[in-house]
Amino acid sequence: MSGSFLNSISLCDLCVLCNSVGSGCRAFTYHRGTEDTKVAQSRPKTKTLTNVPIALTIILCVFSFLACQRIPLPTNAEAAKPPANTRGEQKPPPRQSEAYGPPRTLATLQDPAINESSGIVASRTTPGLYWTHNDSGDGPYIYAFDEHGARRGTWRVKGASADDWEDIAAGPGLQAGTSYLYIGDIGDNEGRRAEITVYRVMEPTIKPTDSSSSKLKPLVTDDAEVFHLRYPDGAHDAESLLVHPVSGDLYIVSKIPFANSFVYEAPAPLNTSGTTTLKRIAELKVPSLFGGLLTGGDISPDGLRVALCDYVDGYELVLTDARTPFDQIWKQPLKPLDLGKRKQGESIAYRLDGRALLATSEGDHPPLIEVVRR
């Protein structure tokens, strides 16, 4: 390791690199909100880090974490934090909204085929059950499970392919009074896709006997409708797909690390012929060190709440008046939500009654976590 290389990386850069914030780094806690941290967040990516071998990167992460654990907090009067009861104290934002209780793990998902749960939504046709799907690398399959994590069936989405499925939502469609699933093939890590795809399929009704199905012998959905979409301002990576439960308007929230995310809309009715250009309607300032690194989202069944998540936490926006046009919700503050311990959180959904949020994680047998509104 050359001295010039180490001198080019600040403490905050290393904290971000090794995710010390999730491990209780004392130095990171103190430096949070300082100019050094802000600079580290806004600094563009450099080739220096991407060219470092993986082993060297791991060593640096361990070194930085051990080092920052030993860095003493400031003791002089100017730098020390004021006592808890001092007037004008600026406390860090809480990880949990006062509207929700603590997270609790309901179960682990038992289906071994679910190893990268990247989206979740509550079933409308079979209350108490949920749908999920895997990230890129799987086929066009959706998996049903219950609140105990038990597998309840596997379906192949007819007429769909899977490039980079990132989220799933429920909403209205062609037939009034019928629930449809929307599946977002919207991932674009390299920012190269000229257009993205959303599939809409009539939601299956899940029967007890369906639990015997699997990827090798899946059930098959009705034919999926295919919607081709493009952004008005170039390619974007995105992992959050939301559908309004009444209007059917479709929303995609971009994933942008260390910067604000943008909300794009495709108003209903969606067009299956040609390519629809999304409209950018809002910008979100996420109260997180990682900025707009959003990985999942959902709209509550009553249409008054929006939940979003990143790898670590969740966030909620709320309309207090049902008469307010829905798109005003994007102007509301994002309130933090503690979604518990997730290896790599990429999914969030409202329970069917809207009184709780459910979240999963990528990895084998991921946890099913619930936070209930008080």
Side-chain angles (χ1 to χ4, degrees):
M1 294 181 292
S2 67
S4 60
F5 171 72
L6 289 176
N7 291 337
S8 67
I9 303 178
S10 71
L11 170 66
C12 295
D13 283 321
L14 288 171
C15 284
V16 170
L17 180 65
C18 70
N19 198 20
S20 293
V21 63
S23 305
C25 171
R26 296 174 67 234
F28 184 88
T29 302
Y30 168 65
H31 284 282
R32 189 174 194 171
T34 67
E35 288 303 315
D36 287 343
T37 306
K38 295 174 183 176
V39 169
Q41 294 173 25
S42 61
R43 183 177 299 150
K45 294 181 180 178
T46 64
K47 294 183 179 179
T48 306
L49 287 178
T50 58
N51 291 333
V52 177
I54 294 176
L56 179 57
T57 302
I58 295 174
I59 292 172
L60 286 172
C61 290
V62 174
F63 171 81
S64 65
F65 178 72
L66 293 176
C68 65
Q69 291 293 319
R70 291 171 171 81
I71 295 176
L73 294 177
T75 56
N76 59 63
E78 290 78 10
K81 288 185 178 180
N85 60 356
T86 300
R87 183 172 298 178
E89 177 188 15
Q90 294 185 355
K91 297 181 181 180
R95 285 193 67 205
Q96 185 67 302
S97 167
E98 294 180 355
Y100 285 86
R104 66 189 185 107
T105 300
L106 298 179
T108 56
L109 303 191
Q110 299 170 15
D111 191 339
I114 303 173
N115 54 21
E116 286 190 277
S117 178
S118 188
I120 180 176
V121 69
S123 172
R124 270 58 173 170
T125 62
T126 318
L129 302 189
Y130 297 88
W131 296 98
T132 190
H133 60 84
N134 285 322
D135 206 330
S136 59
D138 198 13
Y141 300 101
I142 52 176
Y143 306 88
F145 62 92
D146 62 24
E147 63 180 9
H148 304 292
R151 55 190 296 176
R152 297 299 299 272
T154 303
W155 280 256
R156 177 174 61 83
V157 180
K158 188 177 180 181
S161 61
D163 182 10
D164 195 354
W165 284 15
E166 291 292 357
D167 208 358
I168 187 170
L174 290 176
Q175 297 184 21
T178 300
S179 176
Y180 290 79
L181 297 177
Y182 292 71
I183 304 158
D185 195 334
I186 58 177
D188 189 10
N189 291 329
E190 303 299 325
R192 297 176 179 175
R193 298 178 68 171
E195 64 180 41
I196 54 178
T197 304
V198 173
Y199 298 100
R200 182 171 70 188
V201 63
M202 191 177 297
E203 182 184 350
T205 298
I206 306 167
K207 303 184 295 294
T209 54
D210 293 338
S211 60
S212 62
S213 60
S214 65
K215 280 183 65 174
L216 295 177
K217 295 182 179 180
L219 300 165
V220 181
T221 69
D222 290 339
D223 289 319
E225 300 169 86
V226 185
F227 305 112
H228 299 283
L229 309 170
R230 63 168 166 249
Y231 295 100
D233 49 4
H236 294 282
D237 190 20
E239 298 189 11
S240 305
L241 173 73
L242 307 90
V243 176
H244 193 276
V246 178
S247 69
D249 293 341
L250 182 148
Y251 300 89
I252 294 174
V253 183
S254 62
K255 177 185 178 184
I256 309 177
F258 309 119
N260 292 344
S261 291
F262 294 97
V263 181
Y264 297 86
E265 179 185 18
L270 302 176
N271 184 13
T272 57
S273 61
T275 301
T276 299
T277 300
L278 296 160
K279 180 181 178 182
R280 194 170 83 178
I281 62 169
E283 181 175 356
L284 299 180
K285 185 175 182 180
V286 183
S288 165
L289 167 71
F290 306 104
L293 204 65
L294 298 174
T295 58
D298 195 20
I299 300 176
S300 61
D302 62 7
L304 296 178
R305 296 171 178 267
V306 164
L308 298 166
C309 72
D310 57 25
Y311 293 120
V312 179
D313 292 316
Y315 311 93
E316 189 177 50
L317 306 93
V318 180
L319 283 178
T320 57
D321 189 342
R323 296 169 297 180
T324 304
F326 176 76
D327 283 350
Q328 294 298 309
I329 201 167
W330 306 113
K331 298 180 180 179
Q332 308 308 310
L334 282 81
K335 301 177 181 179
L337 299 170
D338 182 2
L339 298 179
K341 295 182 179 180
R342 299 176 299 155
K343 179 179 179 181
Q344 183 174 320
E346 294 200 7
S347 59
I348 189 169
Y350 284 94
R351 203 169 63 189
L352 188 56
D353 63 2
R355 297 291 305 173
L357 283 160
L358 283 295
T360 60
S361 173
E362 291 199 353
D364 295 331
H365 302 294
L368 178 64
I369 299 172
E370 180 184 67
V371 292
V372 180
R373 201 157 82 241
R374 300 183 193 276

